[in-house]
Amino acid sequence: MLKRHTTHFITALCLLAGLTSLPAATSTEENFSEVDRYLEKGGPVYAFIDIEGDLDNLAGKGSELLQAVKGLDPEMAKIPDLPFRLIMEQTGFTAIKAIGISSTRQEAGFQNRTFLLTDGGLPGLLGFYGTDNTPFHLPDMAPMGTDLAVEYSMDSETLVEFARQVAASLMGENGPQMVDMYLDQPLGQIPFTAREVLGYFNGRIDMIAEIDPARTIDLPKLGGFPRVDFLMRFGSAGQLAAKLGELLGQAGLPELQVGTEGSVTTLSGLVPSQYGYDISIRGDTSSGELLVYSSETFRTACMAGSGDKLADSPEFLQATAGLPGEGLSLSFVSPEINLLMAKYFELVIKTGSAEQAEAMRTYMEWLTERLQWDTAVASVMRAE
C-alpha cells in the first residue's frame, strides 16, 4: 500500500516537546488534538496511538517479573536487580505520550509523516540527534549530480550521561566514576580513548556520494561496478588526522603520504593506486573539521562555494517539495543509488549460495513492494 515513497516525508520524528501534564480523563483527547494538527488526512494511512504512562508501567512490570523469577530458584536469585524504570527514563522513552502516523498521495509519490509527542523536551537518548533545528547546508554544498546526501548532528554526551546514570543505579556513587575511568583509558593498542572517539563524532556530520556509471571498478566475485566518489565531513574531528598519520605511519603503508601545512594535516595514498582511488583524509585543527574523500577533484567540487549544486537539481527539488529547510537531519537518495543496490542484490542472487540467494530474493521482493526503484527519496527529521 505504501509504495513509491518519493518524498518519504518523515518530518520524520517530529518530536513535540514541553507540554504540561494533563488530567487523566482528558489526556488522550488533548494528546490527539495536539498530534492531529501535524498529520495529514485523506490518504491510505492515518493512525494515532496514545501511550502516555504505558512505558513507565511496562518498566514497573519488568521489575516485578524479575523479582518473581528470582524467587523461583536460588540460582536465579543471584541475578542483580536491574533498574528498568531508570533505564527507560534515561532513554527518554517514558516521556513519549503519543505517536501519530499519516501517509497521503502527492503529485510525485507519497508524503509520510511520523510524530512523537513528548513531555518535557527531548530527554535522554531522544536528544541524541540534537534538540535545536538548524538550516540545512548540504544542498548548497553537494555538487549537481549527487546521488546520496545526508547531514545530521550527534550529541555524544547523551550516550555518556546515559551510561553514567545507569552505572550509578547499579553500583552507587562509584558507578559514574568507573564509567569515566573506562572512557579515559586507551582503546587497546589504539592511542585514542573512548571519550576522544565520541568527541570526534560529536556535532555535525555530512556525507555526499556520486555514482559515475561511465567509470567502473572491478570488485572480487562481483565484477564491474560503477565508480562512486564520496566525501564525508566530521565537524569535530579535525585533530584526528595528525594522530591517524602517526598510527598509519607505523603500519608501513607503501603509498602513504602525510603532509602538514599550518593547521591542516593531509593523509593520502591510503589504498593502493591500482584500485583507481586516491582516498585522502584532511584534518584542520583550526576549524575542527575532518574530511574523508575519494579524490581531490571531488573534494574541490564539494567545497567550492560556486558552481552547479544539488539545491538546483530537478530530482532533489521534486523529492523535497514541501519539506522544511531546517531541522535535525536531512537525507536524499537518488534513483541511481536504488538501482545500484538492486544490481548488487541481483549479483548476490546469481553468485551466492542457495541460502544467500533465497534470503536476498526475499528481501528484494519486500523492498520492491515498498519502493519504486527509479524514484528519488528524501526525508527530514525536525523538532517542534
Side-chain angles (χ1 to χ4, degrees), residues 14-20 34 37-38 95 97 116-123 126 131 382-384:
C14 198
L15 302 165
L16 313 173
L19 300 179
T20 57
E34 190 65 36
R37 66 193 183 96
Y38 288 98
K97 301 170 69 173
L116 302 183
L117 179 67
T118 72
D119 187 8
L122 302 178
L126 289 182
T131 58
R382 60 178 283 111
E384 295 286 355

Short mmCIF file of all heavy atoms in Angstrom, two decimals, residues 14-20 34 37-38 95 97 116-123 126 131 382-384:
data_model
loop_
_atom_site.label_atom_id
_atom_site.label_comp_id
_atom_site.label_asym_id
_atom_site.label_seq_id
_atom_site.Cartn_x
_atom_site.Cartn_y
_atom_site.Cartn_z
N CYS A 14 9.02 14.06 14.19
CA CYS A 14 8.83 15.44 14.62
C CYS A 14 8.51 15.36 16.10
O CYS A 14 7.45 14.92 16.47
CB CYS A 14 7.69 16.06 13.84
SG CYS A 14 7.69 17.80 13.89
N LEU A 15 9.46 15.71 16.93
CA LEU A 15 9.33 15.50 18.35
C LEU A 15 8.75 16.74 19.01
O LEU A 15 9.39 17.78 19.04
CB LEU A 15 10.71 15.17 18.94
CG LEU A 15 11.35 13.93 18.30
CD1 LEU A 15 12.80 13.86 18.62
CD2 LEU A 15 10.64 12.71 18.77
N LEU A 16 7.56 16.64 19.52
CA LEU A 16 6.88 17.79 20.09
C LEU A 16 7.14 17.81 21.58
O LEU A 16 6.89 16.84 22.27
CB LEU A 16 5.38 17.67 19.82
CG LEU A 16 5.04 17.32 18.37
CD1 LEU A 16 3.56 17.07 18.22
CD2 LEU A 16 5.50 18.43 17.46
N ALA A 17 7.63 18.93 22.10
CA ALA A 17 8.13 18.93 23.46
C ALA A 17 7.48 20.00 24.31
O ALA A 17 6.85 20.92 23.83
CB ALA A 17 9.64 19.14 23.44
N GLY A 18 7.70 19.87 25.63
CA GLY A 18 7.36 20.91 26.56
C GLY A 18 5.90 21.02 26.91
O GLY A 18 5.46 22.06 27.40
N LEU A 19 5.11 19.99 26.69
CA LEU A 19 3.69 20.06 27.01
C LEU A 19 3.48 19.77 28.50
O LEU A 19 4.17 18.96 29.09
CB LEU A 19 2.91 19.05 26.17
CG LEU A 19 3.02 19.26 24.66
CD1 LEU A 19 2.22 18.19 23.95
CD2 LEU A 19 2.53 20.64 24.27
N THR A 20 2.51 20.43 29.11
CA THR A 20 2.24 20.22 30.52
C THR A 20 1.48 18.93 30.73
O THR A 20 0.82 18.41 29.84
CB THR A 20 1.40 21.39 31.08
OG1 THR A 20 0.20 21.49 30.31
CG2 THR A 20 2.16 22.69 30.96
N GLU A 34 -3.34 17.55 19.83
CA GLU A 34 -2.01 18.11 19.58
C GLU A 34 -1.34 17.43 18.40
O GLU A 34 -0.71 18.06 17.55
CB GLU A 34 -1.15 17.96 20.83
CG GLU A 34 0.17 18.72 20.79
CD GLU A 34 -0.02 20.22 20.75
OE1 GLU A 34 -0.95 20.74 21.38
OE2 GLU A 34 0.79 20.88 20.04
N ARG A 37 -3.02 17.96 14.53
CA ARG A 37 -2.79 19.17 13.73
C ARG A 37 -1.51 19.09 12.90
O ARG A 37 -1.28 19.93 12.04
CB ARG A 37 -2.78 20.40 14.63
CG ARG A 37 -1.64 20.49 15.63
CD ARG A 37 -1.93 21.58 16.66
NE ARG A 37 -0.85 21.78 17.61
CZ ARG A 37 0.08 22.72 17.49
NH1 ARG A 37 0.05 23.54 16.45
NH2 ARG A 37 1.02 22.85 18.40
N TYR A 38 -0.66 18.08 13.16
CA TYR A 38 0.56 17.93 12.38
C TYR A 38 0.45 16.82 11.33
O TYR A 38 1.36 16.62 10.53
CB TYR A 38 1.75 17.63 13.29
CG TYR A 38 2.19 18.81 14.10
CD1 TYR A 38 1.77 18.96 15.42
CD2 TYR A 38 3.01 19.79 13.55
CE1 TYR A 38 2.16 20.06 16.17
CE2 TYR A 38 3.40 20.88 14.30
CZ TYR A 38 2.98 21.01 15.61
OH TYR A 38 3.37 22.10 16.35
N ALA A 95 8.97 9.54 28.29
CA ALA A 95 8.44 10.88 28.04
C ALA A 95 7.51 10.90 26.82
O ALA A 95 6.84 11.90 26.58
CB ALA A 95 9.58 11.87 27.83
N LYS A 97 4.36 10.51 24.87
CA LYS A 97 2.94 10.50 25.26
C LYS A 97 2.05 9.92 24.17
O LYS A 97 1.02 9.29 24.46
CB LYS A 97 2.48 11.92 25.59
CG LYS A 97 3.29 12.56 26.71
CD LYS A 97 3.00 14.03 26.85
CE LYS A 97 1.59 14.28 27.36
NZ LYS A 97 1.38 15.72 27.66
N LEU A 116 6.28 11.98 17.26
CA LEU A 116 6.29 11.55 18.65
C LEU A 116 5.96 12.77 19.50
O LEU A 116 6.64 13.79 19.41
CB LEU A 116 7.67 11.01 19.05
CG LEU A 116 8.23 9.83 18.26
CD1 LEU A 116 9.56 9.40 18.85
CD2 LEU A 116 7.26 8.67 18.24
N LEU A 117 4.93 12.67 20.29
CA LEU A 117 4.55 13.74 21.21
C LEU A 117 5.20 13.43 22.55
O LEU A 117 4.96 12.38 23.14
CB LEU A 117 3.03 13.79 21.36
CG LEU A 117 2.47 14.85 22.32
CD1 LEU A 117 2.73 16.25 21.78
CD2 LEU A 117 0.98 14.63 22.52
N THR A 118 6.06 14.33 23.03
CA THR A 118 6.78 14.07 24.27
C THR A 118 6.46 15.12 25.32
O THR A 118 5.97 16.20 25.01
CB THR A 118 8.31 14.06 24.03
OG1 THR A 118 8.76 15.39 23.79
CG2 THR A 118 8.68 13.16 22.88
N ASP A 119 6.77 14.78 26.54
CA ASP A 119 6.54 15.67 27.67
C ASP A 119 7.89 16.04 28.26
O ASP A 119 8.66 15.18 28.67
CB ASP A 119 5.69 14.97 28.74
CG ASP A 119 5.29 15.90 29.86
OD1 ASP A 119 5.54 17.11 29.74
OD2 ASP A 119 4.71 15.43 30.85
N GLY A 120 8.21 17.33 28.28
CA GLY A 120 9.46 17.77 28.90
C GLY A 120 10.63 17.82 27.94
O GLY A 120 11.75 17.50 28.32
N GLY A 121 10.42 18.20 26.71
CA GLY A 121 11.52 18.34 25.76
C GLY A 121 11.95 17.01 25.18
O GLY A 121 11.14 16.10 24.97
N LEU A 122 13.25 16.87 24.93
CA LEU A 122 13.81 15.65 24.35
C LEU A 122 14.80 15.05 25.34
O LEU A 122 16.02 15.16 25.18
CB LEU A 122 14.51 15.96 23.03
CG LEU A 122 13.65 16.61 21.95
CD1 LEU A 122 14.48 16.91 20.73
CD2 LEU A 122 12.48 15.71 21.59
N PRO A 123 14.31 14.41 26.40
CA PRO A 123 15.20 13.90 27.44
C PRO A 123 15.96 12.66 26.99
O PRO A 123 15.55 11.95 26.08
CB PRO A 123 14.24 13.57 28.58
CG PRO A 123 12.96 13.22 27.88
CD PRO A 123 12.90 14.13 26.69
N LEU A 126 16.62 10.52 23.44
CA LEU A 126 15.82 11.18 22.41
C LEU A 126 16.53 12.42 21.88
O LEU A 126 16.25 12.87 20.78
CB LEU A 126 14.44 11.56 22.97
CG LEU A 126 13.46 10.42 23.25
CD1 LEU A 126 12.14 10.99 23.75
CD2 LEU A 126 13.23 9.57 22.01
N THR A 131 18.59 18.92 19.72
CA THR A 131 17.26 19.39 20.11
C THR A 131 16.86 20.68 19.40
O THR A 131 15.72 21.12 19.53
CB THR A 131 17.21 19.62 21.63
OG1 THR A 131 18.22 20.58 21.99
CG2 THR A 131 17.46 18.33 22.39
N ARG A 382 12.94 16.74 12.31
CA ARG A 382 13.00 18.04 12.95
C ARG A 382 12.26 17.99 14.29
O ARG A 382 11.51 17.06 14.56
CB ARG A 382 12.41 19.14 12.07
CG ARG A 382 10.97 18.94 11.68
CD ARG A 382 10.44 20.10 10.84
NE ARG A 382 10.12 21.27 11.65
CZ ARG A 382 10.80 22.39 11.61
NH1 ARG A 382 11.84 22.54 10.81
NH2 ARG A 382 10.46 23.41 12.37
N ALA A 383 12.51 18.96 15.11
CA ALA A 383 11.84 19.09 16.40
C ALA A 383 10.87 20.26 16.35
O ALA A 383 11.16 21.28 15.74
CB ALA A 383 12.87 19.31 17.51
N GLU A 384 9.72 20.09 16.95
CA GLU A 384 8.73 21.16 17.02
C GLU A 384 8.45 21.51 18.48
O GLU A 384 8.36 20.63 19.29
CB GLU A 384 7.41 20.72 16.35
CG GLU A 384 7.53 20.48 14.87
CD GLU A 384 7.64 21.76 14.07
OE1 GLU A 384 7.53 22.85 14.67
OE2 GLU A 384 7.85 21.67 12.85
#
